[in-house]
Amino acid sequence: MEILMIFVIGVIFTVSTYLILSKSLLRVVIGVIMLGHGAHLLFLTLAGLKQGAPPLLGEEAVAYADPLPQAVVLTAIVIGFGVTAFLLVIAYRTYKVHKTDDLDQLRGSADE
């Protein structure tokens, strides 16, 4: 299962890198979002995809799941939502002011 997840993560990183290098501001924002999700999946995969019972006191089980990687990724997802909202607001404001989302036009010319 880990090998399959590594290939999926590689595809997500490849697609996100392609989107970040595109000329549209919205595609760059989507690429950053996908890069974050790929990093979350990578962290969970490297922590180990184990099956086990939740680590509760009253439960007798053979193996327990490690809650630390899940808690770290959950915190990163919440922070990622905040960053996504901020990036979307900045992209929307840039579009409203400059009437374009093309990064070549937003860059301006050399004589400015």
Side-chain angles (χ1 to χ4, degrees):
M1 185 69 175
E2 283 89 2
I3 299 297
L4 175 66
M5 288 299 294
I6 293 295
F7 284 124
V8 169
I9 292 166
V11 168
I12 291 174
F13 279 159
T14 303
V15 170
S16 66
T17 303
Y18 174 76
L19 288 173
I20 288 173
L21 294 175
S22 67
K23 292 183 181 181
S24 175
L25 190 60
L26 186 61
R27 287 184 180 185
V28 171
V29 171
I30 292 172
V32 170
I33 294 167
M34 286 185 65
L35 189 66
H37 289 307
H40 299 154
L41 284 174
L42 180 66
F43 185 73
L44 282 177
T45 303
L46 291 179
L49 299 174
K50 296 178 238 162
Q51 293 182 351
L56 301 174
L57 287 177
E59 218 170 294
E60 298 296 327
V62 178
Y64 293 104
D66 187 15
L68 186 61
Q70 298 170 10
V72 170
V73 169
L74 182 62
T75 305
I77 288 171
V78 171
I79 293 170
F81 281 145
V83 170
T84 300
F86 179 70
L87 286 175
L88 287 173
V89 167
I90 293 295
Y92 177 72
R93 180 71 180 150
T94 302
Y95 178 76
K96 291 295 275 187
V97 169
H98 297 288
K99 304 287 190 241
T100 185
D101 72 337
D102 188 16
L103 292 177
D104 286 339
Q105 292 177 0
L106 289 172
R107 183 177 304 136
S109 60
D111 59 341
E112 289 182 330

